[in-house]
Amino acid sequence: MTRSHGAAGPAQVFRALHRGRAPEDPLVLPGPWDAASARVFAEAGFPALATPSAGVAASLGYEDGHTPAEEMFAAVARIVRAVDVPVSADLEGGYGLPAKELAARVLDTGVVGVNLEDGGEGGLRDAAAHADWLAEFRAATGGAVFLNARVDTYVRGVPDPRETVRRARLYVEAGADCVYPLLAPPDLLPVLRAEVDVPLNAFASPDGPPPAELGRLGAARITYGPVLHHRATEALRDIAAAL
C-alpha cells in the first residue's frame, strides 16, 4: 500500500504541526466537547484541537461508546464551525460504516483529522482486516484527512509490546499519519518510537508524566481524552454547590 503526504490544504498544515518538534515540546491538543469549550481552548492559543468521544458523548447525554453516529457527526461539525483552528475528531471505531461512506461523512464535517480505533465489541479487531479498512478510508479521503490510528491492545487487555508494534506497523503501511497506543505505559514509548516511522500520540493521564516528559520519551502529540471534560464538570459541581 502506498502512503502519500502530499495533500495540500488544512490537513497538510495539521500534519506539519506533528513534525520537527523538540522532544520537550510535543503538540498538545486539548479536547473540546462542544462549541463553547472549543472557543475557550482556541482563544487560549492552542494551534489545533482534538475532540474526545467520551466528552462529546457526555455533552449529548450518552455514555461513551453509545453516541449515535448522526449526533456525533453533527456535534463535531458544530465544533469545527465554532473555531478558526484545525479540529481532529475521535470517531471511535467508525460506527460500523463502510470506509468510503465514513470518509464522505468525515469530509462533510470539515475536520482535518480523525482517530479510528481497532477495538470493537468483544475485543480487538483483526489487525489485517482493520488495516485494509484504514487504507480504503485513507484512499477515499485523498489524503485530505490526518489519520490517527488508535491501537487498543492495552485498553483491551493485551499488554504485549510486540503485538502493539505489529499492529502499529500494519496501520502505518495502510496510511496512518500517527499511531495512538492508548494506555500504553510511558516506558514503552521509546520502544514504539524506535519501531514505528510516524509520530506517536500519548495520553496524558492526571497521575502520569507531564506532556514535556512524554515528549522526551517519544511522543510527538499529547491528548487528554475525557480528562478536561471531567475537570470542567468537577468545577461546575463546586459552583453549583456554592450556589
Side-chain angles (χ1 to χ4, degrees), residues 4 6 8 21 27 34 40 56 100 104 110 133 153 157 182 200 231 242:
S4 171
R21 308 189 69 90
L27 176 62
D34 60 12
V40 169
V56 174
K100 290 182 180 178
W133 182 75
T153 45
L182 181 59
L200 295 179
R231 290 180 62 183

Side-chain angles (χ1 to χ4, degrees), residues 2 4 6 10 29-30 37 57 73 79 126 134 200 208 211 213-214 236 242:
T2 302
S4 171
L29 298 177
S37 59
F73 288 125
I79 290 170
D126 178 81
L134 290 177
L200 295 179
E213 180 60 22
L214 291 171
L236 189 56

Side-chain angles (χ1 to χ4, degrees), residues 3-81:
R3 306 184 71 242
S4 171
H5 291 293
Q12 189 66 358
V13 172
F14 189 57
R15 286 189 180 97
L17 290 174
H18 293 73
R19 297 185 175 273
R21 308 189 69 90
E24 68 279 4
D25 182 34
L27 176 62
V28 174
L29 298 177
W33 50 92
D34 60 12
S37 59
R39 287 185 176 130
V40 169
F41 292 133
E43 289 167 2
F46 288 96
L49 308 175
T51 70
S53 65
V56 174
S59 76
L60 297 172
Y62 296 103
E63 295 294 324
D64 188 23
H66 292 83
T67 308
E70 291 292 333
E71 294 197 44
M72 181 62 77
F73 288 125
V76 167
R78 285 193 293 272
I79 290 170
V80 171
R81 290 195 299 269

Side-chain angles (χ1 to χ4, degrees), residues 202-216:
F203 169 64
S205 64
D207 56 352
E213 180 60 22
L214 291 171
R216 283 188 284 268

